[in-house]
Amino acid sequence: MGKAQKGGRGDGKRKQRRHNPIRVPDDHLGPGVKVAEQTSAKGEQVIPVLQKLDSPDGGDRVWACAAITNLIQNDASTRRLLQAKGVVPKLITRLTDTSEEVVVEAAGSLRNLCVDGGYDMCGQIFNKNVLAPLKTFVPKVIATLQEFLGPNPPKSANGMKGRIYEFAENIITIFWCLSETSNKALNAINEAELTPFLMAFLMSRDKIPIKTVVAAAQCLYVLSDDNDPTINAIRKTPTYLSCLLDTVKSSPTASSTKQNGNAILVDQPSESENEEQKSTLKVLACGVLRNIAPIPVISPTSTPDFERDIALPLLVPLLDYSIVEATNHVQKLATAQSVDSSAPAKLSLQHIPDHDHKTPVILELDDIENRLRTVELALEIMTSVCAKLPDPKPGLADDRGEEDDEIMGNSQAEDADGYDDANEEENDDEIILDEDRDTTPTKLNPKTVSLLRSLTRPLLLLSHPTLLSFTRPGSPPIHPPTTSILSRIHIHALECLNNLFIGLDPEETALPEGTAKEAVVIWKEMWNILSRSVGKQKEWMVGTGVETRREMWEVGVGVLWGLARIAKDELVPDLEQVQALIEFSEFSEDEMIKAKCIGTLSGLAQHRDAIEINKIISSYLLTYLHPSITNRSTPALSQITHPEAVLHAASTLIDIFSDETKPYDVNFNLELFAAVAVKDRVKRALKAIDRTKEGGRELREFGEGVLVNLDGFVKYRRRLEKKRVKKSSPGGKKR
């Protein structure tokens, strides 16, 4: 439990988040269309452009489609205004226009709306049935591609080839964005069976512009993420597997698209952009291989180990990138750009807007954006590599229908408070919890130790927010794409750290000497990231990247949990940190987040000399268990809204007070802990677990163990209390 994985496999949820989230965030605007009208510098141009979309003149329609791309460029206000005025259905109508040029421009505008606008925009585009015309384009593009790449390609102008490849890139990108919108959209796209179409671009990557190939790889990467139709199509086709493996090893050379007769010779990317696109292509191919893992055997001698032979050699070097330097450079470039274009350009009806022409400043900003996206992709794949999860274990038997009744009933002879005291005088000095558990720690592989140490520093640096990581209320980011990518980089870097440290359980793994002290250093840096840079939830304001801040805290708490377990004996608790963890646990409604907060507090509560901190933490944990000190019993005690948190609170209190020799044991209250309501609450939490949900069976097993341990723990503490009473009573000492 606790590891974060792409696709939601680690926490029982399929997170519907895009690999390429909103490129141009608009949360700084606040809700509504009125604010968009007030803040858009191009608002007066919107209506004339929309009117031209319905013009009987084909040239006007081409102009209008191209103008929309210009209007929305890094401009969230104008994008929202266009959306409110009905731009989406108008553009979808233009996909069936009699003019091919209009169709190409309309596809480009829809592509940019999808990439820049995120879920809301993609959802509207899907709901307006954009897939109907899009699916008709697929066989046409395939036929044209075969014609261009065949032995006798048409001797047409290079400009025509460029437009075809650009059109293919646009419709592929729309498919990609929509597939991340909802399961309904994904299922509809699955019906189109796009895998052969997309693989055709990768298999001809030396003959096709790199941008189009990257778009196909990106779409394939998304469609192969926890999506059986695409996974099965790739796994059963050896030529696809060989192509992906070859792509990771060597992508197209910089000169391949320039020199090949079947590739376009115009609009070539800059050398730096071309190199970055090739790097991105390798990472995407690596991501597809990760999605379909384990990689099927192609031949006995050629099937590589994914982590060792593919992922780590490719991805780890990409993490050595300074986002601080990148941010500083973006600020300088964006400032220079704003000075050059302080007044919005008026669209001229005399010519079609040239959205392909880019100034040197914009090209440099694009280069940084592309590099940041490559780092983001590398981190996203590294998240699952770091998880190192074993193969799923076989499920438990389904025939457990009577179990709930047994848990809620009295299957043993229990006294009035719910605990069996019949034999508590036997085994007076012994309490065995989890007696079948093998407690011998396994030695950590030296290669794993080396990997941990080599990854921790760059991941921490990538987790630190920069000046451009969050939006500010009332004003757009200085360069919206950078802000969008940075937020994902921080979250993915924290997910990697979460998976690395959660996997290091000191009770199961013999850690190298000095690991605890190293963990303390990382702990301090993590608090610097979360508390100072991200801020506490009560400090968050609408329009300041609240969603990103919240998600960074949610993942960051998992990192803290892992560190607290490793550095338990070395970690000196801090009252402010304890209060922050309690506040965030109460703030979150997510079961797993509460469990992580409780797990982190457990490590802090067990510091030998932290008596007051222990009292604060144990009192908080008791609020999950005892109705006399909690408001969690409303509206009815029988309703357990957070069963996992209840079980973890009980388990944590047992861990904290399992050693009566610790100074903080003075805080233990046997009367409260042994109350019948506590055991009843644990039983009800156990009953509230839905075994049909992912992770439900494992949680049920954990809860059953907690219930057994609770029984044994209370008996154990009662025997200790009787001993103390005996020794302290006048006749209790033997003469």
Side-chain angles (χ1 to χ4, degrees):
M1 187 198 71
K3 293 188 178 183
Q5 284 217 349
K6 182 171 56 63
R9 285 174 53 191
D11 60 6
K13 300 175 184 177
R14 176 172 172 79
K15 293 184 178 178
Q16 305 250 337
R17 69 181 185 203
R18 302 176 59 211
H19 298 290
N20 177 26
I22 299 178
R23 180 177 176 270
V24 184
D26 63 355
D27 54 352
H28 64 281
L29 295 175
V33 179
K34 189 173 182 180
V35 67
E37 294 175 339
Q38 294 170 344
T39 55
S40 173
K42 309 167 192 169
E44 74 280 0
Q45 302 179 55
V46 167
I47 298 301
V49 168
L50 292 177
Q51 289 173 341
K52 289 290 182 182
L53 280 175
D54 297 323
S55 171
D57 183 86
D60 285 349
R61 298 196 301 275
V62 172
W63 176 90
C65 291
I68 288 168
T69 293
N70 277 31
L71 286 174
I72 68 170
Q73 185 174 9
N74 292 346
D75 189 339
S77 296
T78 305
R79 184 186 73 230
R80 187 185 292 183
L81 189 55
L82 278 164
Q83 184 179 5
K85 299 295 183 181
V87 70
V88 169
K90 287 180 177 290
L91 285 173
I92 292 175
T93 299
R94 298 278 70 83
L95 291 178
T96 54
D97 200 282
T98 55
S99 167
E100 289 186 357
E101 197 172 0
V102 173
V103 173
V104 171
E105 289 292 346
S109 295
L110 283 167
R111 177 253 188 214
N112 293 330
L113 286 170
C114 282
V115 170
D116 283 6
Y119 279 122
D120 289 342
M121 181 66 75
C122 290
Q124 183 181 6
I125 291 173
F126 171 74
N127 290 334
K128 296 298 181 181
N129 199 26
V130 72
L131 289 184
L134 281 188
K135 288 179 180 179
T136 66
F137 297 141
V138 172
K140 295 177 183 177
V141 171
I142 290 177
T144 305
L145 193 64
Q146 291 173 339
E147 189 179 2
F148 282 172
L149 303 179
N152 299 304
K155 301 187 182 298
S156 56
N158 287 322
M160 175 188 173
K161 292 182 179 179
R163 295 294 277 177
I164 293 296
Y165 287 127
E166 180 187 358
F167 178 66
E169 179 195 343
N170 288 336
I171 64 171
I172 289 170
T173 303
I174 296 172
F175 279 129
W176 152 39
C177 292
L178 295 186
S179 67
E180 283 285 81
T181 301
S182 66
N183 285 331
K184 183 178 179 181
L186 177 62
N187 292 334
I189 291 171
N190 282 338
E191 293 175 1
E193 298 181 348
L194 294 178
T195 304
F197 171 64
L198 299 171
M199 284 301 308
F201 290 92
L202 270 72
M203 295 173 75
S204 301
R205 60 190 179 280
D206 289 339
K207 303 175 182 179
I208 295 175
I210 187 69
K211 286 182 65 177
T212 308
V213 179
V214 167
Q218 176 73 75
C219 189
L220 195 67
Y221 170 56
V222 171
L223 287 176
S224 61
D225 178 13
D226 198 19
N227 183 36
D228 287 340
T230 302
I231 292 172
N232 294 335
I234 297 172
R235 286 178 60 86
K236 72 180 183 182
T237 312
T239 52
Y240 294 172
L241 296 169
S242 297
C243 172
L244 291 166
L245 288 168
D246 290 343
T247 302
V248 172
K249 294 172 184 175
S250 59
S251 54
T253 61
S255 60
S256 62
T257 55
K258 295 180 182 179
Q259 296 177 358
N260 190 286
N262 293 335
I264 63 170
L265 302 175
V266 294
D267 296 331
Q268 290 293 334
S270 65
E271 184 175 348
S272 60
E273 182 182 0
N274 197 47
E275 288 301 314
E276 197 57 54
Q277 292 276 10
K278 288 190 293 180
S279 179
T280 302
L281 180 59
K282 287 186 177 184
V283 174
L284 288 168
C286 176
V288 175
L289 290 170
R290 170 62 186 90
N291 289 344
I292 67 166
I295 301 171
V297 176
I298 302 175
S299 71
T301 59
S302 66
T303 303
D305 176 83
F306 175 76
E307 281 81 13
R308 185 186 68 245
D309 300 329
I310 298 176
L312 293 174
L314 173 65
L315 303 178
V316 172
L318 294 174
L319 306 184
D320 186 18
Y321 181 69
S322 173
I323 57 174
V324 174
E325 291 181 10
T327 297
N328 293 338
H329 197 36
V330 166
Q331 284 185 297
K332 292 178 182 178
L333 291 170
T335 301
Q337 183 187 22
S338 63
V339 170
D340 291 341
S341 55
S342 55
K346 294 281 186 179
L347 293 172
S348 171
L349 295 176
Q350 304 303 314
H351 65 278
I352 296 174
D354 185 4
H355 53 76
D356 289 328
H357 176 70
K358 295 181 178 180
T359 66
V361 169
I362 294 176
L363 288 173
E364 204 165 349
L365 286 169
D366 285 350
D367 284 345
I368 297 173
E369 181 181 347
N370 290 334
R371 180 60 192 275
L372 288 170
R373 288 202 182 282
T374 304
V375 173
E376 179 203 352
L377 282 167
L379 285 168
E380 188 173 276
I381 300 166
M382 279 297 297
T383 297
S384 53
V385 173
C386 290
K388 299 281 186 181
L389 290 177
D391 292 332
K393 297 179 181 179
L396 302 176
D398 289 328
D399 188 17
R400 303 180 68 180
E402 298 179 2
E403 192 174 62
D404 288 338
D405 295 332
E406 183 177 325
I407 289 170
M408 296 310 298
N410 295 320
S411 58
Q412 298 178 350
E414 297 177 344
D415 62 14
D417 61 5
Y419 297 95
D420 177 17
D421 293 337
N423 299 313
E424 75 173 21
E425 294 301 327
E426 299 179 10
N427 300 322
D428 197 41
D429 296 318
E430 182 179 7
I431 179 68
I432 300 176
L433 306 181
D434 296 333
E435 59 184 24
D436 294 329
R437 181 181 175 188
D438 181 5
T439 58
T440 305
T442 57
K443 189 175 181 180
L444 197 62
N445 188 313
K447 290 184 179 179
T448 304
V449 176
S450 176
L451 176 64
L452 268 170
R453 286 178 171 151
S454 65
L455 284 176
T456 299
R457 178 47 45 186
L459 289 173
L460 281 170
L461 291 174
L462 292 171
S463 301
H464 271 280
T466 71
L467 293 174
L468 299 185
S469 295
F470 306 119
T471 54
R472 297 180 180 180
S475 62
I478 192 170
H479 188 245
T482 298
T483 296
S484 175
I485 305 170
L486 284 174
S487 67
R488 305 313 307 168
I489 285 176
H490 301 323
I491 291 167
H492 289 321
L494 288 171
E495 286 173 339
C496 289
L497 289 168
N498 173 85
N499 289 351
L500 288 175
F501 294 128
I502 289 294
L504 291 176
D505 188 343
E507 294 183 4
E508 299 177 358
T509 308
L511 301 177
E513 186 178 352
T515 302
K517 291 184 179 179
E518 292 179 50
V520 171
V521 175
I522 301 169
W523 169 275
K524 292 178 181 177
E525 188 159 356
M526 278 300 305
W527 274 104
N528 184 40
I529 292 171
L530 294 177
S531 184
R532 295 184 181 180
S533 299
V534 180
K536 299 176 184 177
Q537 60 271 15
K538 61 185 178 183
E539 302 166 354
W540 302 344
M541 297 172 58
V542 174
T544 61
V546 170
E547 286 300 309
T548 299
R549 294 176 190 270
R550 178 187 55 76
E551 195 166 355
M552 287 185 70
W553 258 96
E554 288 178 348
V555 182
V557 166
V559 183
L560 294 174
W561 181 24
L563 292 169
R565 294 191 307 175
I566 297 168
K568 184 163 59 177
D569 296 331
E570 298 282 343
L571 204 55
V572 179
D574 177 90
L575 179 59
E576 185 179 348
Q577 294 174 0
V578 170
Q579 290 173 336
L581 287 166
I582 291 174
E583 287 173 8
F584 191 68
S585 178
E586 291 297 287
F587 170 77
S588 176
E589 288 298 317
D590 188 282
E591 286 272 29
M592 178 160 286
I593 303 307
K594 289 181 179 292
K596 288 180 179 181
C597 290
I598 289 170
T600 309
L601 290 168
S602 173
L604 297 176
Q606 294 180 63
H607 190 276
R608 182 177 184 84
D609 300 321
I611 298 175
E612 286 303 313
I613 293 290
N614 175 282
K615 185 176 182 179
I616 293 170
I617 294 173
S618 57
S619 297
Y620 169 67
L621 296 177
L622 274 170
T623 65
Y624 283 95
L625 302 174
H626 205 286
S628 68
I629 52 175
T630 178
N631 58 3
R632 301 181 202 280
S633 56
T634 57
L637 180 61
S638 60
Q639 295 180 1
I640 305 292
T641 55
H642 299 106
E644 186 172 353
V646 171
L647 295 175
H648 277 278
S651 178
T652 296
L653 283 167
I654 292 171
D655 288 342
I656 292 172
F657 294 110
S658 61
D659 185 352
E660 73 279 4
T661 65
K662 294 289 180 69
Y664 57 70
D665 196 67
V666 296
N667 295 324
F668 182 71
N669 188 323
L670 179 59
E671 183 181 354
L672 278 177
F673 205 85
V676 64
V678 171
K679 186 171 183 179
D680 180 66
R681 197 159 180 81
V682 172
K683 285 181 178 180
R684 292 186 183 279
L686 193 52
K687 187 181 172 93
I689 296 169
D690 186 351
R691 291 195 306 270
T692 64
K693 291 184 177 179
E694 187 176 353
R697 295 188 182 279
E698 293 82 356
L699 182 58
R700 183 60 174 257
E701 280 190 348
F702 169 73
E704 289 167 355
V706 172
L707 192 58
V708 171
N709 287 351
L710 179 61
D711 246 340
F713 178 72
V714 171
K715 296 173 192 175
Y716 173 58
R717 295 300 307 212
R718 279 180 170 169
R719 290 197 294 272
L720 286 177
E721 187 63 22
K722 286 184 178 181
K723 279 185 176 183
R724 288 172 181 164
V725 171
K726 268 187 179 181
K727 289 180 180 179
S728 61
S729 64
K733 296 181 180 180
K734 293 182 180 180
R735 296 184 179 179

